[in-house]
Amino acid sequence: MKHLNITVILCVLISNIGIAQKKIDLPEIWNGTFRTEVLQSVNALVNSNNYSKIDVISKDHQAINLYDFTTLKKTKTVFSNIDFPEIVSIENYVFDNKEEQILIGTNTTPIYRRSFLANYYLFNPNSNNVVKIADHPIMEPLFSPDGTKIAYAYLNNLFIYDINSKTTTQITTDGKKNHIINGVSDWVYEEEFSVVRMFDWNTSGTQLAYVKFDETDVPEYSMDIYGTGLYPTQDKFKYPKAGEKNAEVSLYIYSTTTKQTNKINLDEFSDFYIPRIKWTNDSNLLSVQVINRHQNDLKLFFVNGNTFNKKLIVNETDNAYVDVHTLNFLDNNDFIWLSERDGNNHLYHYNKDGKLVNKITKGNWEVTDYYGFDKKNKKLFFQSVERGPIYRDIYSIDLNGKNKKLLSSNKGTNNAVFSPNFDVYIQTYSTTTQAPKYYLTDAKSGKVKQTILNNNKLHEKLKEYQLPTKEFIQIPTVDGIMLNAWIMKPANFDTSKKYPVLMYQYSGPGSQQVADKWFDSNDYWHAMLTEKGYIVVTVDGRGTGFRGADFKKVTQYELGKYEVEDQIEAAKYLANQPYIDANRIGIWGWSYGGFMSTNAILKGNNVFKVAIAVAPVINWRMYDSIYTERYMKTPQENPSGYDNNSPFFFADQLKGRYLLIHGSADDNVHVQNAMAMIETLVQHNKDFDWLIYPDKNHGIYGGNTRLQLYTKMTNFILNNL
């Protein structure tokens, strides 16, 4: 038997103890210490079966490189900014259909969540030069399919740049800020229909369809911008609140050959939306989706580009609301349609005349993404929650709905980017204990061909911190409904002790926080709180997504009723656990989650000791028309639904400690909400804390802002919970 060196053993033990006891420091969450390596967004190139991405060579040197989808090896550098000093950074780019010319965007200026202005340069690899297509920043440039023209928006008007002649034609002239917008969306379409570009080329490049917004009569919201100057400025923009006037929309088709513009007749509709337009594979047929203001009656039309007549193709209705999706056309103009008409979101195959060919997917589970159609093998690829709502898996299925195959073997969250010929895909896989891994995967068998990126360095670093794990549990309601939840406990958890609990949720319609996927920044903050002796719990209550339409739409007309009841019931359930201190339960959330946490401490004032609300809706009458009315109808039609669940009307019930946080330049949930809540709490003589971040939007970030925000929240919890 060998004699062991006790000194060495002690050193190892001390070293291991030191590693295991390393604590998360707040700045580490925001300075990149825990940043995951990611495969930068790739763009699949149909003609070459390559993908392209921006590679950073050095601080001032970027390149757009091509990679073979099958081998992942770089095949070509198609553009490098080292030779073009006018392009300081490559911030976005797009190829023409032939994958030859490239539009490169730089000097980007954000407008709202998705919209931005940028300077655009056209790069031609044959001549190896760049041409600035406009002397000013523009929006949403789009190549014509033949690669001879570029349409774009500027100052609410539409323009067409001719590549050969280097001339520009202005095709609309009535654009005016806060009055008329041509070809790009207004604020509320951008935010709630997730769309900015509202124009599209036909396949021959001879016609440009676009939507016009007349927002002249839409009420205007003004936002003070404090800046650094002696006097603040003011930003004014049109924002239709619930029950108020929306922009009037109309549809036009411009011909590049006749230079004429024709308006499409939609006179049978009033107070409606056009959330999507898209040319079909037939250059004479434009698809148009029209939905009523209540958003429960969606009509898909095909508009003839020669006669300008329209034909109804599909009419989708729902007792609550119909979700809007982008159409996916097959070569013969058949299309794939997403619908939850049977109670779950599934794929349907329609022919070009609007006749249902077959329901492709079926079952008591939901399709969560559609990846595309392999026309050679007549297979579709999609993502679903078939193995449980907290998981995401990748499947293939025949167009006729047969031979469904699970391609992702490991349970967790799986995503895919398919090669254009659908022989392989780049798979991203993560769980609550596995940082994202990237694989090259065979599309037929689902077998991994190659590991691209594994985040092993991050895992090695995290061994020093001993992160808590998320345990997935189910919490029963009084009605016997089982709610999905996760719980994060301190590393040295002792069942004989009593722990305080902080609940975190979002709870908005169709959302999800309980999912088997890797940590985000909030998770690291929650992990830090467990190091300080707190248990953190997240519960997805009724109204959240991926458990069927009935579960999601039960909150219709009463946002904040069932969701709040479920959070209160979950808190009561937790309070009954032997290891939880029933007198120390708190709740927090951001945006809809802030609305919820505010309601929870008011309506559950005998349950919650503490609540933090960041950028919350306080009164649904103050939020935008498209989102709010989708679930509530208008305040004129449903006044009790608005008032019975808006925390503004229950401020007198506050008993615990409440922290309200908002950005003064929040264009989404206006700081007006916070000001209204502050005033009503003051008038009820309630003691509370509040913090306004000057000139910060809904995300409340920039510089040290996030660090200061989470420091404030941490101290508030430590001092009050």
Side-chain angles (χ1 to χ4, degrees), residues 392 506-514 540-541 543-546 552 592:
R392 298 291 185 278
Y506 179 76
S507 302
S511 65
Q512 185 181 53
Q513 299 298 315
V514 182
D540 277 345
T544 56
F546 313 110
K552 179 176 69 172
Y592 199 102

Side-chain angles (χ1 to χ4, degrees), residues 586-602:
I587 187 168
W588 89 280
W590 198 307
S591 192
Y592 199 102
F595 157 73
M596 287 287 299
S597 61
T598 304
N599 255 341
I601 200 170
L602 299 178

Side-chain angles (χ1 to χ4, degrees), residues 159-356:
F159 298 78
I160 295 177
Y161 175 79
D162 186 278
I163 294 173
N164 294 325
S165 66
K166 297 180 181 175
T167 58
T168 301
T169 301
Q170 183 171 347
I171 65 171
T172 68
T173 57
D174 55 348
K176 184 180 178 183
K177 182 179 168 78
N178 289 337
H179 288 277
I180 302 293
I181 310 173
N182 291 289
V184 289
S185 61
D186 65 355
W187 184 94
V188 72
Y189 268 58
E190 175 178 340
E191 179 66 26
E192 306 304 354
F193 287 138
S194 304
V195 62
V196 177
R197 179 167 56 81
M198 296 295 293
F199 63 87
D200 196 34
W201 288 103
N202 70 344
T203 54
S204 62
T206 57
Q207 292 182 311
L208 187 75
Y210 66 92
V211 176
K212 182 193 297 285
F213 295 79
D214 184 345
E215 54 179 7
T216 304
D217 296 329
V218 176
E220 194 170 76
Y221 184 79
S222 61
M223 220 162 42
D224 287 329
I225 308 298
Y226 297 97
T228 57
L230 193 58
Y231 293 93
T233 58
Q234 201 172 59
D235 184 20
K236 296 180 179 180
F237 60 100
K238 300 290 187 163
Y239 184 107
K241 298 199 175 190
E244 298 298 315
K245 175 77 173 175
N246 280 321
E248 295 182 2
V249 289
S250 48
L251 178 65
Y252 298 84
I253 296 178
Y254 171 80
S255 169
T256 60
T257 54
T258 67
K259 314 299 182 190
Q260 298 295 312
T261 300
N262 287 277
K263 182 178 181 180
I264 307 306
N265 185 355
L266 298 173
D267 289 346
E268 69 266 40
F269 301 106
S270 62
D271 216 358
F272 63 98
Y273 303 111
I274 306 176
R276 297 285 186 273
I277 62 169
K278 183 179 181 179
W279 285 94
T280 72
N281 291 321
D282 182 334
S283 64
N284 289 322
L285 288 179
L286 171 71
S287 74
V288 180
Q289 296 185 44
V290 177
I291 194 167
N292 62 333
R293 183 157 181 164
H294 285 162
Q295 298 172 69
N296 57 8
D297 188 346
L298 174 66
K299 291 179 169 63
L300 170 68
F301 293 101
F302 282 180
V303 176
N304 188 297
N306 293 323
T307 65
F308 310 110
N309 295 323
K310 64 182 186 296
K311 177 185 177 183
L312 180 64
I313 301 296
V314 175
N315 189 188
E316 186 90 17
T317 61
D318 191 279
N319 290 331
Y321 58 89
V322 178
D323 285 317
V324 171
H325 301 285
T326 300
L327 277 182
N328 299 277
F329 289 100
L330 309 183
D331 284 350
N332 64 353
N333 249 22
D334 285 9
F335 56 92
I336 306 303
W337 183 261
L338 272 166
S339 170
E340 54 183 7
R341 66 185 62 162
D342 75 344
N344 290 287
N345 203 40
H346 280 296
L347 296 168
Y348 295 79
H349 176 198
Y350 279 87
N351 73 12
K352 61 184 178 180
D353 296 315
K355 180 182 178 182
L356 178 63

